[in-house]
Amino acid sequence: MNLLLKEIRHNPLLWLLVFVPAVFAGQALKPDAHTLLFALSVLAIVPLAALLSHATESVAAKTGDAVGGLLNATLGNLTELVIALTALHAGQYMLVKASIAGAIVTNTLFMLGGSFLLGGLKHHVQEFNRGSARMQAGLLFLATVALLIPSAVSGSDSTTGAAFIEELSVGLAVLLIVVYGMGMLFSLKTHRELFASAQAGEAGEAPWPVGLALATLAGVTVLVALVSEVFVESVQEAAVAFGMTPAFVGFIVVALVGAAAEMASAFSGARKNRLDLSVGIALGSASQIALFVAPVLVLLSYVIGPTPMSLQFWPGAVVMMLIATMTAFLVTNSGRSAWFLGVLVLMAYFIFAMTLYLLPPATP
Amino acid sequence: MNLLLKEIRHNPLLWLLVFVPAVFAGQALKPDAHTLLFALSVLAIVPLAALLSHATESVAAKTGDAVGGLLNATLGNLTELVIALTALHAGQYMLVKASIAGAIVTNTLFMLGGSFLLGGLKHHVQEFNRGSARMQAGLLFLATVALLIPSAVSGSDSTTGAAFIEELSVGLAVLLIVVYGMGMLFSLKTHRELFASAQAGEAGEAPWPVGLALATLAGVTVLVALVSEVFVESVQEAAVAFGMTPAFVGFIVVALVGAAAEMASAFSGARKNRLDLSVGIALGSASQIALFVAPVLVLLSYVIGPTPMSLQFWPGAVVMMLIATMTAFLVTNSGRSAWFLGVLVLMAYFIFAMTLYLLPPATP
Amino acid sequence: MNLLLKEIRHNPLLWLLVFVPAVFAGQALKPDAHTLLFALSVLAIVPLAALLSHATESVAAKTGDAVGGLLNATLGNLTELVIALTALHAGQYMLVKASIAGAIVTNTLFMLGGSFLLGGLKHHVQEFNRGSARMQAGLLFLATVALLIPSAVSGSDSTTGAAFIEELSVGLAVLLIVVYGMGMLFSLKTHRELFASAQAGEAGEAPWPVGLALATLAGVTVLVALVSEVFVESVQEAAVAFGMTPAFVGFIVVALVGAAAEMASAFSGARKNRLDLSVGIALGSASQIALFVAPVLVLLSYVIGPTPMSLQFWPGAVVMMLIATMTAFLVTNSGRSAWFLGVLVLMAYFIFAMTLYLLPPATP
């Protein structure tokens, strides 16, 4: 507990934890102040995500490479998963899908571009391991293909029925989870050495004792779930108040909030001239959303959602995911970066954000 | 003849030749048993394709590099060509186009992915010549672009007339064949040395005497044509019986059957840690379909088909070809592979196959 | 003036200057001979573009690296800009947009492919700096993304209003110009050394004194503007007479005419085995069109055009730009080229040209 408090004292991001009780107070006292509740819940989720991330890594560090890697791989996007599950339970499939697509785009463009820019402002030219970046970008591309196919096939022809899309989505979800399991076998067991350096890097901070970590993990997950409920309830009304389209909220706001903790790690790695770490976090996290979070949500929609959710995305989101993964491949291909590369990648992100912000609300 | 029998005794694939007479017997006795005839003709084409492939290589080995290379390049996809010609003659353009698109996708995803997986299960990490793989992937991409353009242009706008698509298809076909001829000049004459290693590799087995090889070539081509006729006649009805869509049959079944012989070579090369050979067969064969087989079919449709055939594909097929060629580029770009890369490439193929299998029959 | 005449005597391209007075004579005497005026204006623009290019380089050489680079970067596509401005003023937005898309495609496919082919016919295999080619191809890809987004988003859904496209286009234009400015800061100031070799190469010819260069720059720009007016006025009618679609005229004819001077430099560099120079001119010029010329035209349409112009392109043009930039990336990725690579890249260009030539005029 002492350690937890010490961690909080040293990490300014965690001072935002004060907004966690504020959310619950706000909800009890002013349940209709949607804009306020939205802002409070966003501010509360960020430090909770950081705590979750640190707790996961601490458990992982203690349990050895294989189990630890498994934990990291499964819980690495826990915040995104919990927010999406809350939205799924509320039947807000448009928000769920936008946040899946947005998380992939945000991780590959904003996190990668920000790392290149922040690192490049400090270091003239930065080098990173081209081989592993290429492999990760290849995985990400293939993982994204699965999300594109239902939209590509049905988008081109409106006579394809809903039953087809539903069957296909379940089939793809099962296939993706199987491949995800094989991917863990690959990175944690048969070809561990290829991923060794990145793993070692992530455990830079002092890990917590396993008891504290597990307790934090459990407690914070519950808190994230509770805050997410407020967030999902208030987000629609707040979006109207801020003049934001629902597509913008899901794609940009939810994705940035959910990925805040990983972003802090990726950016700090880039400043320390450890771009391998930044690239690994950004592309690894995006692959995980595509290969694990998205199919789990499709399958769980049969259990906890009002109706089944498909993997069919709005065509604009498909284009953005495709461009994001191709960008990831192109920019990591040379193994070198400088600040302007970061500007260009961020530009692509801002173009997407601007498009979604201006898009008439009825469209997507 | 002795050599031919010896070859058959040593190669279990060739034992399937027993199905060749079975097809003709079946057709004579039970002309309406479409499902049976379909299964028999599939089983008969596979060993015939293997014989064709071996005969072509034997003639090539005897006639020297230039003529031999020319033969290999022209007859390498003879099985696919004969099947497609039979379907063309029967006016089944949907099947012809699906088998062109399917052959490109099957060669680049299934053959390449299978080689990576099978090779990777035996060897920890495999290296292959990055430079030549990149060049071949580049050729393949550009070859595929020609097939995409008519669909991309007309797909976006339904007012473009049929006359435009027809003129454009003939123009593209002539252009592709001219480029294909230049490509042979390049790989067999001016820059032979760049392709030397792959050629030498393919002639691993003992070649037959030229007389036997030529006789086999002629005889087996006739047999393939006769069996293809049964295959094309029965495939539609069999598809219904098996619950397969016509798109699935053309894209997956015909493509796998036609490429079976090359696949055996590519997979065996991968097991022997000669991935250069596997990558060369997979990408080279796909390029050949795009640059030679497809345009020849368009031009011949004016001679042997009931009406002219265009190069306009169903939009879903265009997306799949584009993703397949981009995947080929991304995965060969690093020059290294391990088993999980094979799993990912095969996953993309299974996603396509699943989509086509589930697709409502009326759509494509 | 002596120098100017000497230059003209030695450079056969400049003998075409005789067509400049011919255009004005033609316009005065036969204002309705559209086909003649079109041909004369095309022939007159080519040498003027060459003069502009040489004058810009001469000023750049005298004013030092930073200002010179700035000048080169801003005036490098001055011919294209002046032609487009004339068309913009005449309200011919379809021609303006076709010429933007066409300039990107022509620079990346025709100029790059022609350089590879012409260089490859003289040199067996040519090597070029892979690193900088990759960076430039990456920049080009991201620059093009901005042009694709409005079409991708609105193309998929016809309910998005014109107001949205207009707002988005202005936003994108501002963003692109900001990024373009940062790109100059990058290439001229913070990371000058990465671009040093290409710059030095371009100033191969003897520079003119700064007075002559500035006078030429001013005088020739006025001439280009005057000739462009004749060109834009006559192009529609001439297109009908030659059986060319408006899309073909904008995409192919205008783009080739505008880029003639740069093409001469790129091709001559390739013959001298200095492919770095050729690749730099081709990709740099294409990026400049996307990042600077296109947004400037959008913003200026509010000032000099009859109505605002958007960045929304015809879907076929989007596909062509995307394929062109991907091709640029794929073919420069290996850092080696031979003549057949040039044939393939040119083939892609001819495919586009053929498609546009055959396209029914009503379509785009």
Side-chain angles (χ1 to χ4, degrees):
Chain A
M1 206 57 192
N2 224 19
L3 266 169
L4 187 56
L5 288 174
K6 197 178 138 203
E7 175 83 21
I8 291 173
R9 213 171 319 121
H10 280 83
N11 188 343
L13 193 67
L14 296 183
W15 299 352
L16 294 173
L17 282 172
V18 72
F19 287 105
V20 177
V23 169
F24 301 122
Q27 198 191 16
L29 299 173
K30 296 202 164 193
D32 294 328
H34 296 297
T35 317
L36 177 75
L37 288 175
F38 168 76
L40 288 176
S41 58
V42 166
L43 290 169
I45 287 175
V46 172
L48 290 173
L51 274 184
L52 265 194
S53 167
H54 194 61
T56 306
E57 274 164 30
S58 299
V59 178
K62 295 280 160 169
T63 49
D65 270 9
V67 182
L70 203 77
L71 267 172
N72 251 330
T74 320
L75 304 181
N77 282 298
L78 191 56
T79 314
E80 280 92 338
L81 189 59
V82 171
I83 298 177
L85 281 176
T86 313
L88 190 73
H89 188 62
Q92 297 210 25
Y93 292 173
M94 152 79 216
L95 188 66
V96 177
K97 287 181 185 180
S99 74
I100 293 172
I104 292 173
V105 170
T106 300
N107 281 317
T108 44
L109 296 182
F110 188 80
M111 210 187 280
L112 203 59
S115 298
F116 286 163
L117 178 57
L118 290 174
L121 290 177
K122 197 161 172 190
H123 307 276
H124 191 67
V125 172
Q126 293 184 293
E127 310 260 341
F128 53 92
N129 186 335
R130 192 156 71 189
S132 70
R134 266 183 199 153
M135 191 151 216
Q136 283 176 304
L139 301 202
L140 174 62
F141 176 77
L142 286 167
T144 314
V145 162
L147 303 186
L148 307 180
I149 281 300
S151 319
V153 170
S154 67
S156 62
D157 197 320
S158 56
T159 61
T160 46
F164 159 64
I165 294 292
E166 219 173 272
E167 272 178 19
L168 182 59
S169 299
V170 172
L172 289 176
V174 171
L175 189 61
L176 285 171
I177 290 176
V178 169
V179 170
Y180 186 66
M182 289 181 171
M184 288 203 285
L185 192 67
F186 179 71
S187 63
L188 302 176
K189 188 115 193 173
T190 71
H191 288 66
R192 204 164 30 181
E193 79 287 357
L194 294 179
F195 299 82
S197 66
Q199 296 286 10
E202 260 179 287
E205 301 162 38
W208 291 338
V210 86
L212 172 64
L214 280 176
T216 308
L217 206 54
V220 172
T221 302
V222 172
L223 283 177
V224 170
L226 292 172
V227 175
S228 293
E229 215 155 308
V230 180
F231 176 76
V232 168
E233 264 168 36
S234 61
V235 76
Q236 298 282 46
E237 320 257 344
V240 175
F242 284 119
M244 294 187 289
T245 58
F248 182 83
V249 171
F251 219 90
I252 305 292
V253 178
V254 175
L256 283 177
V257 167
E262 287 145 317
M263 243 173 253
S265 307
F267 292 166
S268 124
R271 299 291 291 175
K272 291 176 196 147
N273 208 10
R274 295 174 60 194
L275 265 189
D276 278 330
L277 181 59
S278 311
V279 172
I281 295 175
L283 301 188
S285 182
S287 301
Q288 197 179 38
I289 302 273
L291 282 173
F292 180 68
V293 174
V296 161
L297 289 170
V298 168
L299 295 183
L300 283 181
S301 76
Y302 284 81
V303 183
I304 64 167
T307 57
M309 188 181 82
S310 75
L311 276 176
Q312 189 175 18
F313 289 88
W314 166 61
V318 171
V319 171
M320 291 181 188
M321 282 194 276
L322 199 57
I323 288 178
T325 53
M326 280 170 58
T327 302
F329 184 78
L330 298 190
V331 298
T332 56
N333 190 44
S334 70
R336 289 194 306 168
S337 96
W339 67 267
F340 187 57
L341 196 65
V343 168
L344 276 160
V345 176
L346 287 174
M347 182 192 78
Y349 188 71
F350 292 141
I351 289 172
F352 291 172
M354 189 193 287
T355 307
L356 291 167
Y357 188 81
L358 294 174
L359 203 66
T363 313
Chain B
M1 208 59 193
N2 225 17
L3 265 169
L4 186 56
L5 289 174
K6 197 179 138 201
E7 175 83 23
I8 292 174
R9 213 171 318 121
H10 280 82
N11 188 342
L13 195 66
L14 296 182
W15 300 351
L16 293 173
L17 281 173
V18 73
F19 287 105
V20 179
V23 170
F24 300 121
Q27 196 190 19
L29 299 172
K30 297 202 163 192
D32 295 329
H34 295 297
T35 316
L36 177 74
L37 288 174
F38 168 77
L40 288 176
S41 57
V42 165
L43 289 169
I45 288 175
V46 171
L48 290 173
L51 275 182
L52 265 193
S53 168
H54 194 60
T56 307
E57 274 164 32
S58 298
V59 178
K62 295 280 159 167
T63 50
D65 269 9
V67 182
L70 202 76
L71 267 171
N72 251 330
T74 321
L75 304 182
N77 283 298
L78 191 56
T79 314
E80 278 93 338
L81 189 59
V82 171
I83 298 177
L85 280 175
T86 313
L88 191 71
H89 188 63
Q92 297 210 26
Y93 291 174
M94 152 78 216
L95 187 66
V96 176
K97 287 181 186 178
S99 75
I100 293 171
I104 292 172
V105 170
T106 299
N107 281 316
T108 44
L109 295 183
F110 188 79
M111 211 186 280
L112 203 60
S115 299
F116 286 164
L117 178 57
L118 289 174
L121 290 177
K122 197 161 170 189
H123 307 276
H124 192 68
V125 171
Q126 293 184 294
E127 310 261 339
F128 54 92
N129 186 333
R130 193 156 70 187
S132 70
R134 265 182 200 155
M135 192 154 219
Q136 284 176 302
L139 301 201
L140 174 61
F141 176 76
L142 286 165
T144 315
V145 161
L147 303 186
L148 307 181
I149 280 299
S151 320
V153 170
S154 67
S156 62
D157 197 318
S158 56
T159 62
T160 46
F164 159 64
I165 293 292
E166 219 174 89
E167 272 178 18
L168 181 60
S169 299
V170 173
L172 289 177
V174 172
L175 188 62
L176 285 172
I177 289 175
V178 169
V179 169
Y180 186 66
M182 287 182 171
M184 288 202 286
L185 192 68
F186 180 72
S187 62
L188 302 175
K189 187 117 194 171
T190 71
H191 287 66
R192 205 166 25 183
E193 79 286 356
L194 294 180
F195 300 82
S197 65
Q199 296 288 9
E202 260 180 287
E205 302 163 36
W208 292 338
V210 86
L212 171 65
L214 281 176
T216 307
L217 207 53
V220 171
T221 303
V222 172
L223 283 177
V224 170
L226 291 172
V227 175
S228 293
E229 215 156 306
V230 180
F231 176 75
V232 168
E233 265 170 34
S234 60
V235 75
Q236 298 283 46
E237 320 257 345
V240 176
F242 285 119
M244 294 186 290
T245 59
F248 182 83
V249 171
F251 219 90
I252 305 292
V253 178
V254 176
L256 284 176
V257 167
E262 287 145 316
M263 240 172 255
S265 306
F267 292 167
S268 124
R271 299 291 292 174
K272 291 176 195 148
N273 207 9
R274 295 175 59 195
L275 264 190
D276 277 330
L277 180 59
S278 311
V279 172
I281 295 175
L283 301 188
S285 181
S287 301
Q288 198 180 37
I289 302 272
L291 282 173
F292 180 69
V293 174
V296 160
L297 290 170
V298 167
L299 296 182
L300 283 181
S301 75
Y302 284 81
V303 183
I304 65 167
T307 57
M309 188 181 83
S310 75
L311 275 177
Q312 188 175 17
F313 290 87
W314 166 61
V318 171
V319 171
M320 290 181 188
M321 281 192 278
L322 199 58
I323 288 178
T325 53
M326 281 171 57
T327 302
F329 183 78
L330 297 190
V331 298
T332 56
N333 190 46
S334 69
R336 288 195 306 168
S337 96
W339 68 266
F340 188 57
L341 197 64
V343 168
L344 277 160
V345 177
L346 287 174
M347 182 193 77
Y349 187 71
F350 291 140
I351 289 171
F352 291 172
M354 188 193 289
T355 307
L356 291 167
Y357 188 81
L358 293 174
L359 205 66
T363 315
Chain C
M1 206 58 192
N2 225 17
L3 265 169
L4 186 55
L5 289 174
K6 197 179 138 202
E7 176 82 23
I8 292 173
R9 213 171 319 120
H10 280 83
N11 188 343
L13 193 67
L14 296 183
W15 299 352
L16 294 172
L17 281 173
V18 73
F19 287 105
V20 177
V23 169
F24 300 123
Q27 197 190 16
L29 299 173
K30 297 203 164 192
D32 295 328
H34 296 297
T35 316
L36 177 75
L37 288 174
F38 169 76
L40 288 176
S41 56
V42 165
L43 289 169
I45 287 174
V46 172
L48 290 174
L51 275 184
L52 265 194
S53 168
H54 194 60
T56 307
E57 275 165 30
S58 298
V59 179
K62 295 278 158 169
T63 49
D65 270 9
V67 182
L70 203 76
L71 267 172
N72 250 331
T74 320
L75 304 181
N77 282 299
L78 191 56
T79 315
E80 279 92 338
L81 189 58
V82 172
I83 299 177
L85 281 175
T86 314
L88 190 72
H89 188 62
Q92 296 210 25
Y93 291 173
M94 151 81 216
L95 188 66
V96 176
K97 287 181 186 179
S99 75
I100 293 172
I104 292 173
V105 170
T106 300
N107 281 316
T108 43
L109 296 183
F110 189 78
M111 209 185 281
L112 203 60
S115 299
F116 285 163
L117 178 58
L118 290 174
L121 290 177
K122 198 161 169 191
H123 308 275
H124 191 68
V125 172
Q126 293 183 293
E127 310 261 340
F128 53 91
N129 186 334
R130 194 156 68 189
S132 70
R134 265 183 201 153
M135 190 151 217
Q136 284 175 302
L139 301 201
L140 175 61
F141 176 76
L142 286 166
T144 314
V145 162
L147 303 186
L148 307 181
I149 281 299
S151 319
V153 170
S154 67
S156 63
D157 199 317
S158 56
T159 61
T160 46
F164 158 64
I165 293 293
E166 221 174 271
E167 273 179 18
L168 181 59
S169 299
V170 173
L172 288 176
V174 172
L175 188 62
L176 285 172
I177 290 175
V178 169
V179 170
Y180 186 67
M182 287 182 172
M184 288 204 286
L185 191 69
F186 179 72
S187 61
L188 302 174
K189 189 116 192 173
T190 70
H191 287 66
R192 205 166 27 184
E193 79 285 357
L194 294 179
F195 299 82
S197 65
Q199 296 287 9
E202 260 180 287
E205 300 163 38
W208 292 338
V210 86
L212 172 65
L214 281 177
T216 307
L217 207 53
V220 171
T221 302
V222 172
L223 284 178
V224 170
L226 292 172
V227 175
S228 294
E229 215 156 306
V230 180
F231 176 76
V232 168
E233 265 169 32
S234 61
V235 75
Q236 299 282 47
E237 321 256 344
V240 176
F242 284 120
M244 293 187 291
T245 59
F248 182 82
V249 171
F251 219 90
I252 305 292
V253 178
V254 176
L256 283 176
V257 167
E262 286 145 316
M263 242 173 252
S265 307
F267 292 167
S268 123
R271 299 290 292 175
K272 291 176 196 148
N273 208 9
R274 294 175 59 196
L275 266 190
D276 277 330
L277 181 57
S278 311
V279 172
I281 295 175
L283 301 189
S285 182
S287 302
Q288 198 180 38
I289 302 271
L291 281 174
F292 180 69
V293 175
V296 161
L297 290 170
V298 168
L299 296 182
L300 283 181
S301 75
Y302 284 82
V303 183
I304 65 168
T307 57
M309 188 181 80
S310 74
L311 275 176
Q312 188 175 18
F313 290 88
W314 165 61
V318 171
V319 171
M320 290 181 188
M321 281 193 276
L322 198 59
I323 288 178
T325 53
M326 280 170 58
T327 302
F329 184 79
L330 297 190
V331 298
T332 56
N333 190 46
S334 70
R336 289 194 307 166
S337 96
W339 67 266
F340 187 57
L341 196 65
V343 168
L344 277 161
V345 176
L346 287 173
M347 181 193 79
Y349 187 71
F350 292 140
I351 288 171
F352 291 172
M354 188 192 289
T355 306
L356 292 166
Y357 188 81
L358 293 173
L359 204 66
T363 314

